[in-house]
Amino acid sequence: MGVRLQWLFITGGLIALTMTTSATEIALAPALVYTFIRLNNTWRAYASCLLQPALWLSIAFTLWGALSLLWSPDVTHGLDELAMARVLGVWVILWPLIEYRRWFIGALCVGFLIGNTIQLLHALGVALDVPLIQWNRHLGRNSGWWDPVVGGTLLTGALGLHLPAALRGSGRWRVMGVTGCVITGMGVLATGTRGAWIASAALVFIALIVAGAHELRRRRFGASTLWGGLIVIVLTLALGWLVAGNLVQSRFSEARQELARASEGDYDTFTGARLMMGRWGVDALRRDPIQGVGLGGYAASVRAQLQRDGKDPDAHPVHDHAHNTLIQIGATTGVVGVLLALGVLIVSLTSGLKGAPGERFASYDSGPAFALLGLFLAGGFDVVHLNSQTGALLGVLIVLCASARPALRPGDPMTCPVSRPAG
């Protein structure tokens, strides 16, 4: 009975994790409480958890960020950023039942499909003028109950969950993968988030290369992968154009105009501001390449530098972050922080793609690794680890990619957890 309840709390929490900001904050709280209740039964499982390189690199990254508060010009904001280290708690929550990771992957997929359903309801609410089912986050853009930028980043990760099954799966798993990719891809387009569009396109391209290389190693010709990729791309673009064609056109047109203005020195646009924040972040890294300006100190250091250069810091709004994950990490924690963050990413991707005995690349087993890669690509336009929703998903995916997890049982890809004796 104990295992069943723990599995239920975790699965339900992962579904809720993909919903609104408030839901994300409390989604896994019941699972955490019950984890401590059952600790007397499960503490031995953490022996393998403590062997995970990704865990120790994540802890080192957090400790280095905490140390950087000593030289941060804005300690209060730095403490707010450091509070995101709470996502490390997912190691404690998930690890005792990590052998049921396929169920947990499925829970994430279900949660994102619920979010896509909310996007559909919003579209119907706008078309039928029903305010009750409208979530007006941004005029003309449909991100459901997510913020458009956050929604685009989350759905880029969700796309990665489905891609391996869509490209190399068979039978019902390929159908599920293709369907999930198409629905998720349409959702990404509907958010109107251009960074997520670029990241999702890059993710599909990389997934095609990886899947094709995997088939070549197995001395196959890759025709199945090619067809799977073409189906995903064609259906997504065709259906996406039907539901969001005008939005796509307007957003691309807007991007061209803003880039043209930026090339002339006018950064007073959405795109221009992001370019400016990124440039200022690179400048901050150059000034303090090893240690950075300190956690939370991005905006304060930029304003101080503008004053030293004789410029008005109020001439352009200075955002709290650089709108780019690696630039933000570099600006605040220097090269040391960047190397630790990349270490977490590389170790997680390697172990997530390698898998455990009984797992298959051509199923959802490799989904977390591609989802993690999707978040990394989206991080070129967003600071993924500092937002509560994308940060929570990032933490979960790192755990689901961890090495040395128990071998999965043969047979049904979704082994029913209730068959396990209660602990």
Side-chain angles (χ1 to χ4, degrees):
M1 187 64 178
V3 171
R4 298 178 183 181
L5 282 176
Q6 191 167 5
W7 173 84
L8 182 63
F9 284 137
I10 294 175
T11 304
L14 290 177
I15 293 174
L17 192 81
T18 64
M19 298 183 181
T20 63
T21 304
S22 299
T24 298
E25 292 289 352
I26 63 173
L28 289 172
L32 179 61
V33 172
Y34 197 71
T35 295
F36 284 115
I37 291 174
R38 294 201 68 245
L39 199 57
N40 186 54
N41 302 84
T42 61
W43 64 270
R44 294 176 182 84
Y46 294 108
S48 59
C49 182
L50 293 176
L51 298 176
Q52 303 306 311
L55 172 61
W56 289 108
L57 285 169
S58 298
I59 292 173
F61 176 76
T62 301
L63 292 177
W64 176 250
L67 183 64
S68 75
L69 292 175
L70 295 175
W71 56 83
S72 172
D74 190 344
V75 175
T76 300
H77 191 65
L79 289 172
D80 289 339
E81 293 187 0
L82 186 63
M84 279 306 300
R86 63 187 182 273
V87 301
L88 289 175
V90 298
W91 286 92
V92 178
I93 296 170
L94 298 184
W95 199 259
L97 297 186
I98 195 63
E99 64 186 284
Y100 300 121
R101 66 186 293 273
R102 286 175 172 174
W103 282 96
F104 302 154
I105 295 169
L108 291 175
C109 292
V110 169
F112 284 122
L113 289 175
I114 291 174
N116 296 138
T117 303
I118 297 299
Q119 288 181 284
L120 175 60
L121 288 176
H122 174 77
L124 292 174
V126 172
L128 302 176
D129 193 21
V130 182
L132 185 64
I133 55 173
Q134 293 183 28
W135 290 263
N136 292 307
R137 293 284 190 166
H138 195 288
L139 184 64
R141 296 166 68 176
N142 180 358
S143 57
W145 51 27
W146 299 305
D147 173 83
V149 175
V150 172
T153 301
L154 289 172
L155 289 176
T156 302
L159 180 64
L161 291 174
H162 298 289
L163 273 172
L167 296 181
R168 295 204 61 248
S170 60
R172 69 179 186 274
W173 297 110
R174 165 156 283 188
V175 173
M176 289 172 60
V178 169
T179 303
C181 282
V182 172
I183 293 174
T184 305
M186 291 171 60
V188 173
L189 289 173
T191 65
T193 305
R194 293 168 298 202
W197 295 350
I198 297 172
S200 294
L203 179 62
V204 173
F205 179 72
I206 293 172
L208 280 169
I209 292 177
V210 173
H214 192 273
E215 288 198 351
L216 286 176
R217 283 202 306 269
R218 299 173 67 90
R219 298 182 180 180
R220 297 178 181 177
F221 293 102
S224 177
T225 294
L226 180 61
W227 277 111
L230 288 175
I231 290 172
V232 168
I233 294 170
V234 171
L235 284 179
T236 301
L237 292 179
L239 295 175
W241 188 260
L242 288 176
V243 301
N246 292 333
L247 173 63
V248 173
Q249 283 184 309
S250 66
R251 292 291 286 164
F252 271 120
S253 176
E254 182 181 306
R256 285 196 300 268
Q257 295 172 8
E258 292 176 349
L259 287 172
R261 290 173 60 179
S263 66
E264 298 171 356
D266 179 6
Y267 293 91
D268 193 19
T269 62
F270 288 113
T271 302
R274 289 170 177 270
L275 292 173
M276 183 68 78
M277 299 306 130
R279 192 182 77 180
W280 284 339
V282 172
D283 290 341
L285 175 60
R286 288 172 177 168
R287 290 193 300 271
D288 297 284
I290 303 300
Q291 64 185 33
V293 300
L295 206 64
Y298 169 81
S301 68
V302 168
R303 293 190 184 96
Q305 185 62 39
L306 289 174
Q307 289 181 330
R308 287 193 293 269
D309 293 342
K311 300 177 181 179
D312 181 7
D314 297 323
H316 298 285
V318 179
H319 300 178
D320 289 336
H321 54 77
H323 293 281
N324 180 291
T325 299
L326 284 182
I327 292 178
Q328 176 69 20
I329 293 173
T332 55
T333 58
V335 173
V336 174
V338 171
L339 291 177
L340 289 172
L342 289 177
V344 174
L345 176 70
I346 293 170
V347 166
S348 298
L349 288 179
T350 301
S351 58
L353 290 174
K354 182 179 180 181
E359 296 178 0
R360 297 179 301 151
F361 176 77
S363 70
Y364 278 85
D365 287 325
S366 299
F370 282 96
L372 184 61
L373 179 59
L375 289 188
F376 172 75
L377 294 171
F381 311 92
D382 189 18
V383 181
V384 175
H385 66 296
L386 294 183
N387 177 274
S388 60
Q389 291 173 283
T390 55
L393 178 62
L394 178 67
V396 169
L397 292 174
I398 289 172
V399 177
L400 293 179
C401 285
S403 61
R405 51 186 180 261
L408 296 172
R409 302 169 185 172
D412 191 323
M414 292 279 189
T415 306
C416 182
V418 297
S419 64
R420 179 179 176 178

